[in-house]
Amino acid sequence: MADATARMLKEKPNSPLYDDIGFAKIDNHRKARRGFPEVVFGKGKTTDQVVKISEKIVKHDGILLITHADKKAFLRLKRSCPGIKFDEKARIISYRKDRPVLKKGLVLIITAGTADLPVAMEAKATLEIMGNRAEILCDVGVAGIHRLLGKQDVLDSAEVVIVIAGMEGALASVVSGLVSKAVIAVPTSVGYGASFEGIAPLLTMMNSCSPGVAVVNIDNGFGAAYFASLINR
Amino acid sequence: MADATARMLKEKPNSPLYDDIGFAKIDNHRKARRGFPEVVFGKGKTTDQVVKISEKIVKHDGILLITHADKKAFLRLKRSCPGIKFDEKARIISYRKDRPVLKKGLVLIITAGTADLPVAMEAKATLEIMGNRAEILCDVGVAGIHRLLGKQDVLDSAEVVIVIAGMEGALASVVSGLVSKAVIAVPTSVGYGASFEGIAPLLTMMNSCSPGVAVVNIDNGFGAAYFASLINR
Amino acid sequence: MADATARMLKEKPNSPLYDDIGFAKIDNHRKARRGFPEVVFGKGKTTDQVVKISEKIVKHDGILLITHADKKAFLRLKRSCPGIKFDEKARIISYRKDRPVLKKGLVLIITAGTADLPVAMEAKATLEIMGNRAEILCDVGVAGIHRLLGKQDVLDSAEVVIVIAGMEGALASVVSGLVSKAVIAVPTSVGYGASFEGIAPLLTMMNSCSPGVAVVNIDNGFGAAYFASLINR
Amino acid sequence: MADATARMLKEKPNSPLYDDIGFAKIDNHRKARRGFPEVVFGKGKTTDQVVKISEKIVKHDGILLITHADKKAFLRLKRSCPGIKFDEKARIISYRKDRPVLKKGLVLIITAGTADLPVAMEAKATLEIMGNRAEILCDVGVAGIHRLLGKQDVLDSAEVVIVIAGMEGALASVVSGLVSKAVIAVPTSVGYGASFEGIAPLLTMMNSCSPGVAVVNIDNGFGAAYFASLINR
Amino acid sequence: MADATARMLKEKPNSPLYDDIGFAKIDNHRKARRGFPEVVFGKGKTTDQVVKISEKIVKHDGILLITHADKKAFLRLKRSCPGIKFDEKARIISYRKDRPVLKKGLVLIITAGTADLPVAMEAKATLEIMGNRAEILCDVGVAGIHRLLGKQDVLDSAEVVIVIAGMEGALASVVSGLVSKAVIAVPTSVGYGASFEGIAPLLTMMNSCSPGVAVVNIDNGFGAAYFASLINR
Amino acid sequence: MADATARMLKEKPNSPLYDDIGFAKIDNHRKARRGFPEVVFGKGKTTDQVVKISEKIVKHDGILLITHADKKAFLRLKRSCPGIKFDEKARIISYRKDRPVLKKGLVLIITAGTADLPVAMEAKATLEIMGNRAEILCDVGVAGIHRLLGKQDVLDSAEVVIVIAGMEGALASVVSGLVSKAVIAVPTSVGYGASFEGIAPLLTMMNSCSPGVAVVNIDNGFGAAYFASLINR
Amino acid sequence: MADATARMLKEKPNSPLYDDIGFAKIDNHRKARRGFPEVVFGKGKTTDQVVKISEKIVKHDGILLITHADKKAFLRLKRSCPGIKFDEKARIISYRKDRPVLKKGLVLIITAGTADLPVAMEAKATLEIMGNRAEILCDVGVAGIHRLLGKQDVLDSAEVVIVIAGMEGALASVVSGLVSKAVIAVPTSVGYGASFEGIAPLLTMMNSCSPGVAVVNIDNGFGAAYFASLINR
Amino acid sequence: MADATARMLKEKPNSPLYDDIGFAKIDNHRKARRGFPEVVFGKGKTTDQVVKISEKIVKHDGILLITHADKKAFLRLKRSCPGIKFDEKARIISYRKDRPVLKKGLVLIITAGTADLPVAMEAKATLEIMGNRAEILCDVGVAGIHRLLGKQDVLDSAEVVIVIAGMEGALASVVSGLVSKAVIAVPTSVGYGASFEGIAPLLTMMNSCSPGVAVVNIDNGFGAAYFASLINR
């Protein structure tokens, strides 16, 4: 941390470690320390709070990612930051002043069904703003496993794999059994009844009989992507 | 029920509907009504109770099935009923005076791993005493799915399929996607941590994205077999 | 699977194994492999996605079943497929170009109460499009068990029985004790408080003291019917 | 409470409201206030503590009831109180100096299976020491419901009914539908897997579709009996 | 049951055991068998279904009780049954042609807080239509226990006590410790966070350290009242 | 309690122990007994009930605190009590006739994120009406722990610390490890998926590896503040 | 922390911040920072590890507290540290070279029943080694509430109150309603069935309708005492 | 998969895809497909089964890893495979004929406490047999966070970080906030009461407010290591 701090202070000698704006302390040091600035969690904040925090981050780092975002914040932010983008389904607001240097590896995002797409879109937007090439392989759930088996070449081309599945979430184990790469599993709240808003696939993925799987929170496409970006070469 | 009762009374005109021996009421009518006599649940009964109930059933119906059984009861019953069998791993005591007429259909019992075998053995013993041909396809879990895919002909030869799996229990969905037969899923307590003694595979199986799956209790090989026997042609 | 594929390719030589339309991969092979084409899960998909997937299935297989469907999708689909039907309570959209060959066996759908009817209707619509004769015996819950006992002849006439119950879900065990056929149990979210949206009847049904019961997901009338159709002779 | 206190002090003018023996405060007032002296919960106390508390109660009230009791405490207490009784299965130690005046009403204890008997024995011992006539109707679970239906006259003869059942616990609802008396339901830990040590029957009983059922803790035969005694005329 | 049936047929010789109106089987036999006609559970039924079932019951028995009722059904029923009453807070519709013979005993309904009142009103309406005198002692929760202790005379005047409490539900144990009558405990969903919509008080009440408590479902004022009426002398 | 009663009666000789207004019994004795009058829980009460209870408390004690309050009650109360205040985010209505004597100690309220602010505001309003100096240190969650470490002097200046955190709630343990004061932890429902509306941080805080932490209910800023006020010197 | 570090280094200029002995890093700084040295959690460590860690702490700070301790570790430690004490029931090993300066305030430990005593003993041992006067008021559960009400003077004499209760845990709310001091609640695993090893009283205590209660982990007498010591004046 | 198969068949032209030994199908293809041969899960298998499976794997691949292993299997395997190793605490049996080529990156294993060491040892053994350099940083839990902060250089030297923690599991979030590398979190069953055998830290880790964390099953040191090896450069 000491090193990172030193590095940051060299780049931005007058930058305080964080901006204190009362209801938030924006972590200016995050990018130096972790490689990416603070990501804004939109839920539970007022539009005003989201906007003020975001403007600080844009100004300091030139990069912005808001998850669980809504349209109101987007419309407000668009005024001061015209290049900003909003994916309503994925609930993602994103902005990047410069174009990131693209990493070599491909991150493959696989979904079990069509209804898992918004989570996949959240992952894709996160990956791209963090400089990763990302592709989505959609609707290859185990009910028709030949759809997945026929894509072995796509699986093999990936450096990291994200598997997104609701209902019983079996896809993560199956994919993991077919590849030699790390599989990041995202349980989704797609389903009903005894899927308990994503608990069923979460448990499935935690107990994968096939090693090489690690799990993030329910519907957390962002978290899977962030993790994938850290391990993408 | 009226018809069944009539039928039974015709066969055994002096048989009461049940034998009342104080701590138990043995349902003599069960075989006429349901096609198979009462099955004894060994757990929570004293050896003495198990033995007395069993002797009544053997005498009345010539068939005996005890689940969750132990060796003590077996040794006691062996005295009066020498042909009786005991599978310790499966915790099954069984006896059949006559040989059952074999049903045509094959019931295929599939296990995800080797550790699921005791449950599979309970299912097999139940199926056989009920007159079914049964085969076990062992250790074809999704961590190495080619082991299953290479057995499509075996899958296709079955009339009914029982899938037994612990950990994440993904196998049931996968098998169901490959066959046009009913899949009876048995979650097992094989696993640790967040498998919660079988809750994880139970939820997986309840939420199968592939239709054609119905679920029985955790480790309930007997129940799956009994159900399979009812639908085996 | 190899056989099924061969059969399908013979029938439709130019048919790919699945149609890839980006947000979905429609499993053209499903009918050959499993006897019935892909069923669309309406929840979590946009109307546009539902419509496009459905049109592909209608075109390829001449049969359509959408569960968790809404009126919007129905009105859109009606334009291109006038014979399509929608049961709003059961949330089922269905269509079948030809009339299915009727199977001989009767599937009896039993509900504990009037409030369980929508789930029963989902089951009935599914059974009928799959070529089964289906009847509903409604409101025979155990609070007035003579209503059920007086219907022993109806119970005996069925080849398969589906029991649908919320609250404590005791009906499944009771019915199972009266018949020699398989009982498929559907817990429903009917109830309040400690029924926990269907967990109470789900556990009841999983633990049936009467063997011959297997369970599907909460409110899953479709799944019970699909399973019943597989075992209906 | 004031009245009860006055009454007690009249009977035993020198009696303090409770005996303080350091590790326990024995509630001498309990019998005056509630009609029955303090009942000792044996679990978690040392043998020494159980013995000392019990001796105080015997001396003050001439009645003793210990639940969750073990043999050690019994053997120790037998020395000073020779008439004491111990039912090992029911884990009940009991003693009564005088014979209670018998209440008129019959309390009927019904068990679903043989394995529920220890809980029934706990209930019976409690009922008898509190002056009730009690009978056990054993093993009439819903898997063979004719065993119960044939006992309508016994059901009708009872003033209060206790239903004891594990596994899915369906019996409580069924019995309640057949009688015009209150049904006290006791879930038991009999079962395995998804019965979750009694949670399944507990939920079943809480959600009874038939009104007239109230529930006590898992395996709590004592509590059901105590409650039954309060309402037995 | 045989006796009850005989009695009913004597009174209403042409009455069938139940009215089958397709979506419901109205249990005409309920009053003879259990002392009170079928109670309608309003939730999950259409207004039309509620109205048709209710009209049958009114016609056959002259008494009507609907729980979980809404205003629509009330306005419809008022046309054909002008004397009908509706308590919106308690969600109870009730009607009684004749005045019931009042039972002697008083049923005391105690609430921990003001927010528990709707459940208490449901209990009171149920008790009154079943011929019981009922009183509510409101807002005597343990945070100010002198409010309860000062009412010992009211407690002592009751034949049966119903305790209604949300949050931690401690009141049931405390009241039980002060009376020699049965305490029926009703957990309510009043509270937030870790009260889990009533699970917290439900568990509290199930585990009462003071014997003489039995529990009904969360918010089930009706069930507590029905049970109380069965035991009220 | 006797002492407290004596004290109160001396101050207000004609004051009854509580005001009985039917739907509520206002505990006039609370302030004497506990140092602060009854606090009104606004949820589940009608506006009318809230207003009438509140007016009694204002009249008797000159202090009012309503939690889970809404605007309607505020507008009604403002008429009779113009000095009353409402914080909509914190859902707190408060009023105090006199100015409280300020306690010496500072209560420091720390939040992990900006979205936890409403709970912090509830705590602050409660602390101030009870005579405490309170400060909020906002948004110092462990994702950027230097924001917290840089505030060691602020931590050291506090007499009591309240830590408010959702998601994983790790902040409570970390703060506790840095101070020699008591830490009251408040889990919040901020988060999604497997945070289960606050269960995740609740468990985190209950299991703190650092001693000196005690926990209140989810989102219960009021409860933490009330407790803090009791221990603030 | 900076100040604390400075203070420590002044006292023990050559003391490193922690002792690294491979399998543990003993926090020498803990006492300076938090007022009490590191407490050893005995469970899950080998006897050897416990002994080596403990000897370091004794040497550095002259005070030792081991929770969840066993006899083996005690016998080993006794050799090098003859004054060490072991309370087997409370599973506490403790040692203090000097006598602590006694704080003025009394910490009152209240238990609902006799079976809660081991947890109370753990609390008492912790309090005493931390320099507090502590008293236990045992067995005053709400089943006989006059035992508690008669001790109002004892309650009033305490500076802090710890309430320890299993089963339904109602005592914490009741005590809190009687005092103007902070109540620290400790749920215990005393009970059976639906007490779920302490979850029932934990939820009860979290939802106390009486403010002024904060909760620690199940059976965590140590944690309650540590917290109490921090707030004892 | 096709490529992998081709590769494997080239290397071992006569090798079948799996060895079928009845109770197991050993996946010979695993190493070609995934880079490491099948790992044996020792729990639930008989010693005989473990030994036979292991001997096949050793023969085919020259590498062996058994998790959840016991001494019996080790002693049996030692006869045929003298170089085999057993770590009893970690329950790991391992063997490697050749020395693996060491990867460059360091995998840092961090534990919160000493009691987490066995899980860390399981991870270390797994990492080393898979060719990784691994170091353990033990006992740096958040109760004394300076122990961690002082090791920033060690954190920065790692390519991948594994964090192992029980109790509240807060360490994973804290570490993640300090590094720019992926953090694999392992909840452990260390703790008691409301840690629920590891559920508490599992939820903590799933809900990390700091991105860059993914989670494996409770106590699953092996799984974390396997995953870490896949992403170690």
Side-chain angles (χ1 to χ4, degrees), chain A residues 5 34 73 87 93 106 124 136 146 163 176 179 192 194 204 228:
Chain A
T5 306
R34 306 210 54 200
D87 181 333
I93 291 173
L106 171 75
K124 192 158 185 276
I136 295 178
H146 59 292
V163 175
S176 157
V179 300
Y192 62 96
T204 303

Side-chain angles (χ1 to χ4, degrees), chain E residues 28 32 49 51 54 56 67 69 71 73 85 91 107 119 154 174 196 206 214 224 226-227:
Chain E
N28 294 328
Q49 290 170 340
V51 168
S54 299
K56 285 277 176 191
T67 64
K71 204 166 188 173
K85 284 186 292 189
R91 295 175 305 173
V107 181
V119 178
V154 182
V174 173
F196 300 132
M206 297 297 306
Y226 193 104
F227 191 92

Side-chain angles (χ1 to χ4, degrees), chain E residues 184-196:
Chain E
I184 305 162
V186 190
T188 73
S189 51
V190 170
Y192 63 96
S195 80
F196 300 132

Side-chain angles (χ1 to χ4, degrees), chain C residues 171-185:
Chain C
L171 189 60
S173 301
V174 173
V175 168
S176 159
L178 298 173
V179 300
S180 57
K181 306 296 163 45
V183 171
I184 306 162

Side-chain angles (χ1 to χ4, degrees), chain H residues 8-22:
Chain H
M8 189 190 70
L9 293 179
K10 216 181 299 175
E11 286 174 33
K12 307 207 174 199
N14 301 317
S15 166
L17 282 172
Y18 55 87
D19 262 339
D20 195 333
I21 57 171

